[in-house]
């Protein structure tokens, strides 16, 4: 299942990013005294008392403004609110309760989501500042006094957060069902693909709402197996908010990827590869998921005898960081190669779940090291004593060596290529864990 989402919202310059960084334990958000400062990254993993969730930072909300930048920030916050399971409203005791706080509180109450009121910059320890009680007027229940700069009160805040997180299901996942996340930037045809699949295949079991408001699960059974397609549609480009829309498309993709076994990364054939496509693909790699690159709208491309090969060669260069992923050219509109897509999904899932015996792995290792000697440094040569597979999804291999520093990236890539040549592992990343004999993981 995807992790629950907790959004940090509030008007500009109340300390949202400082609080965000404190809660996740690192400086992912840029902190500046200037309201509306740009953030390089707006989400991070957070854990409290064995509860894991995704924390989302937002730009400040100015409910009524004609300023273009502030309007964009309001759009960002509204998207975060739609996506979130729990909302933290950050206010500032130094400014007291201002009109914008009332307007933001009213907006959040209408969302129907659990809202926790955080009063930031309560830096003094001891007797409560009388102005603190003014925040009860917002009608959001008991406020929590916090100093994001010093960390005071953050534990109390997280205690309140986990009270409202959705309970994790105890039901074990059905291994027969392949969860497929259809991901990509807005308007590449994700919903069109789901609709085409749903409309053509008569073996649909049911269409039910997903665990988050912005995803829909479509269950399908056919000759290739049982599939649960996770659609991340519902987010569209708008003029003036392109950047925030695309940032939040990454968050939605991340949530879908966490639930998935296989990721179908959709590319717009007309527009071609973009930086946003690489960001979306990077999420799938980070999570170790099996991947297929699906070039959609292929019917709209003018072709000659070499069009597909030329396009494939360019994509192989663009996606050189995931050269193992098969590339398919499809049309969600006409249904071109949709049948083949099912077959490929089942195949890469099996590759992602593959387990290889230690004996076979070490046969390949012995042959590979005999062909190309392990590297040396200052007269000392790398020795690889043996290797074994630690886990699947993705296939992860442990190498026991004499010196981990000698196991250079280039030689790891060589061994990975040798393993793939023998065992396939198409469509899936692999992980290498290097351990020195008698020592812990390096």
């Amino acid at each position: 299942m995807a992790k629950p989402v907790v959004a940090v919202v509030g008007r500009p310059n109340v300390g949202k990013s400082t609080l965000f960084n404190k809660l996740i334990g690192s400086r992912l958000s840029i902190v500046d005294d200037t309201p509306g400062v740009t953030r390089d990254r707006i989400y991070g993993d957070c854990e409290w008392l064995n509860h894991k969730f995704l924390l989302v930072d937002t730009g400040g909300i100015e409910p009524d403004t004609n300023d273009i930048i502030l309007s964009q920030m309001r759009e960002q916050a509204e998207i975060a609110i739609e996506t979130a399971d729990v909302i933290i409203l950050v206010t500032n005791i130094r400014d007291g309760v201002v009109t914008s706080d009332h307007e933001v509180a009213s907006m959040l109450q209408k969302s129907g989501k659990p809202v926790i009121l955080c009063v930031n910059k309560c830096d003094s320890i001891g007797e409560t500042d009388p102005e603190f009680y003014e925040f009860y007027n917002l009608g959001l229940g008991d406020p929590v006094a916090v100093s994001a700069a010093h960390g005071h009160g953050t534990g109390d805040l997280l205690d309140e957060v986990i009270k409202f997180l959705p309970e994790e299901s105890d039901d074990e996942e059905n291994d027969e069902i392949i969860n497929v996340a259809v991901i990509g930037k807005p308007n590449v045809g994700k919903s069109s693909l789901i609709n085409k699949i749903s409309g053509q295949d008569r073996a649909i079991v049911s269409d039910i709402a997903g665990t988050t408001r912005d995803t829909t699960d479509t269950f399908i059974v056919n000759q290739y197996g049982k599939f649960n397609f996770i659609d991340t549609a519902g987010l569209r480009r708008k003029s003036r908010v392109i950047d925030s829309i695309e940032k939040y498309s990454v968050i939605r993709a991340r949530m879908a990827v966490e639930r998935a076994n296989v990721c179908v990364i959709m590319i717009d054939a007309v527009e071609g590869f973009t930086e946003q496509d690489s960001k979306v693909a990077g999420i799938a790699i980070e999570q170790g998921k099996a991947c297929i690159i699906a070039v959609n709208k292929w019917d709209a491309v003018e072709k000659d005898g070499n069009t597909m090969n030329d396009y494939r060669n360019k994509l192989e260069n663009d996606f050189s960081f995931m050269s193992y992923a098969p590339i398919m050219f499809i049309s969600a509109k006409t249904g071109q190669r949709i049948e083949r897509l099912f077959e490929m999904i089942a195949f890469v899932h099996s590759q992602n779940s593959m387990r290889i015996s230690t004996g076979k792995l070490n046969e390949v290792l012995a042959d590979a090291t005999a062909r190309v000697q392990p590297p040396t440094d200052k007269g000392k040569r790398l020795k690889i004593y043996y290797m074994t597979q630690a886990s699947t999804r993705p296939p992860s291999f442990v190498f026991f060596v004499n010196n981990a520093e000698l196991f250079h990236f280039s030689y790891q890539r060589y061994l990975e290529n040798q393993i793939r040549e023998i065992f396939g592992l198409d469509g899936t990343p692999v992980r290498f864990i290097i351990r020195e004999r008698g020592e812990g993981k390096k």
Side-chain angles (χ1 to χ4, degrees), residues 8-176:
V8 180
V9 303
R11 58 186 174 81
N13 211 28
V14 292
K16 295 184 300 298
S17 293
T18 304
L19 178 63
F20 173 85
N21 290 336
K22 180 65 69 173
L23 294 181
I24 65 171
S26 64
R27 286 179 59 88
L28 286 184
S29 275
I30 298 171
V31 178
D32 195 283
D33 288 335
T34 305
V37 67
T38 304
R39 273 168 275 284
D40 292 328
R41 195 169 166 191
I42 51 174
Y43 61 86
D45 292 314
C46 192
E47 181 175 358
W48 184 252
L49 300 180
N50 296 321
H51 292 269
K52 297 180 180 180
F53 54 92
L54 194 66
L55 194 67
V56 182
D57 189 17
T58 65
I61 303 176
E62 285 285 1
D64 296 311
T65 179
N66 294 322
D67 184 276
I68 292 176
I69 294 176
L70 291 176
S71 296
Q72 292 180 21
M73 293 162 68
R74 184 178 65 236
E75 293 281 353
Q76 285 188 32
E78 288 173 350
I79 295 167
I81 291 166
E82 289 178 12
T83 307
D85 297 291
V86 181
I87 301 165
I88 299 174
L89 171 58
V90 184
T91 57
N92 185 332
I93 197 166
R94 295 179 188 173
D95 298 335
V97 178
V98 299
T99 302
S100 294
D101 290 330
H102 281 286
E103 293 171 347
V104 173
S106 178
M107 179 195 304
L108 297 181
Q109 286 173 322
K110 292 175 183 177
S111 73
K113 302 290 182 70
V115 180
I116 298 164
L117 177 57
C118 168
V119 182
N120 191 27
K121 303 189 181 180
C122 296
D123 299 331
S124 60
I125 300 176
E127 190 173 336
T128 304
D129 191 321
E131 294 180 359
F132 175 79
Y133 299 101
E134 180 184 356
F135 289 88
Y136 279 93
N137 293 327
L138 293 176
L140 296 175
D142 295 333
V144 181
V146 168
S147 171
H150 303 293
H152 307 325
T154 53
D156 295 334
L157 180 66
L158 290 171
D159 285 342
E160 292 299 312
V161 167
I162 64 175
K163 289 180 182 178
F164 297 101
L165 294 181
E167 293 184 7
E168 296 183 10
S169 174
D170 293 329
D171 297 332
E172 294 185 3
E173 293 185 18
N174 188 338
D175 288 336
E176 293 182 1

Side-chain angles (χ1 to χ4, degrees), residues 194-214:
I194 300 296
N195 291 339
K196 191 68 176 178
I197 290 171
S198 302
Q200 281 189 340
D201 201 307
R202 296 182 180 179
I204 297 173
V205 177
S206 64
D207 291 330
I208 62 173
T211 55
T212 56
R213 291 184 60 188
D214 61 328

Side-chain angles (χ1 to χ4, degrees), residues 33 41 48 64 72 75 129 136 186 189 230 273 289 307 324 336 370 373 393-394 405 432:
D33 288 335
R41 195 169 166 191
W48 184 252
D64 296 311
Q72 292 180 21
E75 293 281 353
D129 191 321
Y136 279 93
I230 307 167
F273 175 84
K289 307 296 182 177
T307 303
Y324 52 82
Q336 183 181 18
Q373 288 290 311
R393 301 184 185 179
E405 293 183 359
F432 282 3

Side-chain angles (χ1 to χ4, degrees), residues 307-378:
T307 303
M308 184 177 288
N309 284 336
D310 291 343
Y311 207 113
R312 184 186 299 275
N313 290 337
K314 183 178 185 308
L315 279 182
E316 285 176 350
N317 181 63
D318 293 333
F319 282 98
S320 58
F321 56 90
M322 56 185 312
S323 56
Y324 52 82
I327 300 171
M328 296 187 63
F329 297 87
I330 67 171
S331 171
K333 181 178 179 181
T334 67
Q336 183 181 18
R337 298 189 184 89
I338 299 300
E339 194 80 5
R340 170 67 175 153
L341 181 62
F342 279 106
E343 186 178 357
M344 184 60 73
I345 290 169
F347 173 68
V348 298
H349 175 60
S350 68
Q351 298 288 289
N352 189 243
S353 307
M354 181 184 294
R355 184 168 289 280
I356 306 168
S357 72
T358 300
K360 290 181 179 179
L361 283 173
N362 284 282
E363 287 177 11
V364 173
L365 177 63
D367 184 61
T369 52
R371 290 184 186 181
V372 178
Q373 288 290 311
T376 61
D377 185 29
K378 297 179 181 178

